[in-house]
Amino acid sequence: MASLPLLSMTIFLPLLGAFAIFFNWGQSGLVQAKNARWVALWTSLVTLGLTVILWYNFNADSSSFQFEDKFQWIPIMNVGYHVGIDGISLPFVLLSALLIPICILSSWSSIQERVSEYMIAFLVMETLLIGMFSALDLILFYLFFEGVLIPMFLIIGIWGGPDRVYAAFKFFLYTLLGSVLMLLAILYIYFEVGGSDIPLALTTPFDPAVQIWLWLAFFASFAVKIPMWPFHTWLPDAHVEAPTAGSVILAGILLKMGGYGFIRFSLPMFPEASAYFAPMVFTLSIIAIVYTSLVALAQTDMKKLIAYSSIAHMGFVTLGIFSVDAQGIQGAITQMVSHGLISAALFLCVGVVYDRVHSREIADYGGLVYIMPRYATVFMLFILASVGLPGTSGFIGEFLVLLGTYQVSTWAATLAASGMVLGAAYALWLYRRVVFGALIHPNLKLLTDLSWREKLIFSPLVAGVLIFGIYPIPLLRVMEAAVANVIDQYNLALDPEDGILDRNKALDMARQDDKEAI
């Protein structure tokens, strides 16, 4: 097993599945669509199995990159294919591999046109996502990071709603503009370091004055991806127009690319600049939590409400990251993984009733508990998890973020906690209007409850939300060494005279904090 390139196999297996679907186009329409669905599903399930093997064989005590594959890709430029994962990237690799088969299953009957192209887009996106979270070369990272935009642009623009073209172009242009600045920063790092290897760049001290500009260039890309206020306006339009599976992958994975970038690059590579801009990030995060929660309260479209709630939840993520505290960063990663499960499930809940009623307006529903009790139960679980109910994964992430933030800024933690109250208000308001009340719309009386396929789709999401909510130690354990290493790099750069913290002491402190928090 150790001799196999497991990580590279995991990255490129979905791409092989996409090629298999592409070369199957000679079949008749119905046969071609059926084969495309099954090839995509089995390819994504095998990829998920490989990520489970990676998790099982991962050494959680090590902060170094594991399962590395490396060779010279463009020798004349000293650019190579270099991939590997640590405790920060592994949870996102697993999350990506989990959500893709769920997206394929959720589109099984709702997508009837250009099925082969649709499945190819999702498989190509899976390769790009896993590759992006695993890339240890700056040029390779940028190619994967920007490549994700292409299949997502097509998914929204071809299979989306009435205003899909406008939403797709807005999504593409917003996210591309910030990334151009990041490319310029990558080129500077390349010439300064003499190569594009990320581990080498992480150990290279940059001049504090230069760090300011490099940090801003990376921030321009990551802030749009998360998205932070006021760079968030593309997200509600993209969610509303995207098909259900597109919204699942957009909220579940694509929003996490920015948070991952902040942890991987901004903190350890530009520590002085990160400390300088931390108050600004705190301010923008608080505005995002409070303002977008108030905006969510005013929405009449279910998808748009959940989209604004995602922006608020990502505000907690940026708070935790720039607290540069072990609990805060672990809470931010846990919050991203949790939000990936919960937001995916909420968009799927909207998709279930949209496929039956063809409306996302909250006013068109009410009384679903009488005719869809199983659906009402599942929807309630994810609404409560979104609120941060203890016993769900949503509570663990937000609680750790608040603990970490409180260590450095009492006012930021207090205002963020008020955002949790607003979150409960809009989430419970949505649930009451849709599920409870009188069954006054005649077309709702003929609805059927969850099918076996829909139950299968929700099962892993329910399990993930409850398991990580009741027993989050496996998730926290896998990331603690890598998070401690990031904090060590940050502290060493800011205060070299103290030297690096003792590794065992740092890990013991992190584990003790986790136990106390839980």
Side-chain angles (χ1 to χ4, degrees), residues 6 9-11 13 45-55:
L6 279 177
M9 290 167 59
T10 305
I11 293 171
L13 179 60
L45 288 175
V46 174
T47 303
L48 176 59
L50 289 175
T51 60
V52 173
I53 294 174
L54 290 174
W55 185 290

Side-chain angles (χ1 to χ4, degrees), residues 428-450:
L428 296 177
W429 176 84
L430 170 66
Y431 188 79
R432 184 186 69 82
R433 293 285 301 277
V434 172
V435 175
F436 293 131
L439 189 62
I440 59 175
H441 300 286
N443 59 325
L444 299 181
K445 297 178 180 180
L446 301 177
L447 298 185
T448 57
D449 210 343
L450 295 177

Side-chain angles (χ1 to χ4, degrees), residues 222-242:
F222 299 149
V224 173
K225 283 288 195 305
I226 275 191
M228 294 180 67
W229 182 92
F231 313 104
H232 66 285
T233 57
W234 63 269
L235 184 64
D237 292 325
H239 270 310
V240 168
E241 299 303 326

Side-chain angles (χ1 to χ4, degrees), residues 168-178:
F169 274 97
K170 188 175 182 179
F171 157 76
F172 191 87
L173 293 176
Y174 259 72
T175 52
L176 180 64
L177 180 61

Side-chain angles (χ1 to χ4, degrees), residues 153-400:
F153 172 78
L154 296 175
I155 290 169
I156 298 173
I158 296 175
W159 295 278
D163 294 327
R164 58 186 179 274
V165 175
Y166 166 77
F169 274 97
K170 188 175 182 179
F171 157 76
F172 191 87
L173 293 176
Y174 259 72
T175 52
L176 180 64
L177 180 61
S179 297
V180 171
L181 297 176
M182 183 175 72
L183 177 60
L184 296 176
I186 288 175
L187 292 176
Y188 177 89
I189 294 171
Y190 170 83
F191 288 112
E192 184 75 12
V193 174
S196 55
D197 193 59
I198 290 177
L200 178 60
L202 290 173
T203 58
T204 301
F206 295 98
D207 183 81
V210 175
Q211 283 189 32
I212 296 293
W213 298 105
L214 295 177
W215 189 94
L216 287 172
F218 277 83
F219 177 81
S221 180
F222 299 149
V224 173
K225 283 288 195 305
I226 275 191
M228 294 180 67
W229 182 92
F231 313 104
H232 66 285
T233 57
W234 63 269
L235 184 64
D237 292 325
H239 270 310
V240 168
E241 299 303 326
T244 298
S247 292
V248 168
I249 209 68
L250 183 61
I253 300 295
L254 265 65
L255 302 190
K256 314 306 179 289
M257 294 164 59
Y260 172 78
F262 281 136
I263 300 172
R264 174 66 69 220
F265 299 104
S266 299
L267 291 186
M269 201 177 291
F270 319 123
E272 286 94 342
S274 295
Y276 178 78
F277 285 112
M280 180 194 75
V281 174
F282 275 25
T283 302
L284 294 180
S285 301
I286 294 299
I287 293 173
I289 293 171
V290 177
Y291 170 73
T292 55
S293 295
L294 292 172
V295 174
L297 276 169
Q299 300 307 308
T300 60
D301 183 297
M302 287 191 285
K303 259 193 168 185
K304 190 167 283 191
L305 186 151
I306 299 171
Y308 278 110
S309 77
S310 295
I311 301 169
H313 283 100
M314 290 302 100
F316 282 96
V317 170
T318 48
L319 270 182
I321 292 172
F322 283 91
S323 69
V324 198
D325 176 84
Q327 290 177 332
I329 298 178
Q330 285 187 321
I333 298 173
T334 303
Q335 174 74 348
M336 284 191 278
V337 174
S338 171
H339 180 264
L341 300 173
I342 296 168
S343 64
L346 289 175
F347 281 113
L348 287 168
C349 287
V350 176
V352 166
V353 292
Y354 180 80
D355 288 341
R356 290 161 168 79
V357 183
H358 302 292
S359 173
R360 295 187 303 267
E361 290 295 317
I362 298 173
D364 292 338
Y365 294 92
L368 293 185
V369 67
Y370 301 112
I371 52 174
M372 302 176 69
R374 293 183 180 87
Y375 170 80
T377 302
V378 170
F379 195 12
M380 178 187 67
L381 171 65
F382 294 118
I383 285 289
L384 295 178
S386 177
V387 169
L389 182 75
T392 66
S393 58
F395 172 76
I396 299 297
E398 291 183 356
F399 186 63
L400 287 175

Side-chain angles (χ1 to χ4, degrees), residues 82-165:
H82 187 190
V83 295
I85 54 176
D86 63 356
I88 295 170
S89 52
L90 180 57
F92 298 110
V93 170
L94 183 60
L95 182 63
S96 302
L98 173 64
L99 291 185
I100 292 295
I102 289 176
C103 289
I104 292 169
L105 272 175
S106 68
S107 309
W108 203 263
S109 59
S110 59
I111 300 298
Q112 296 294 332
E113 296 182 358
R114 299 184 178 181
V115 176
S116 295
E117 295 96 316
Y118 183 85
M119 297 302 170
I120 288 174
F122 271 96
L123 291 178
V124 170
M125 185 156 52
E126 183 172 20
T127 284
L128 295 171
L129 285 169
I130 297 177
M132 189 273 299
F133 288 122
S134 307
L136 295 181
D137 181 276
L138 283 167
I139 303 300
L140 186 67
F141 170 82
Y142 185 80
L143 292 176
F144 281 131
F145 189 83
E146 291 305 294
V148 171
L149 300 180
I150 299 173
M152 196 68 228
F153 172 78
L154 296 175
I155 290 169
I156 298 173
I158 296 175
W159 295 278
D163 294 327
R164 58 186 179 274
V165 175

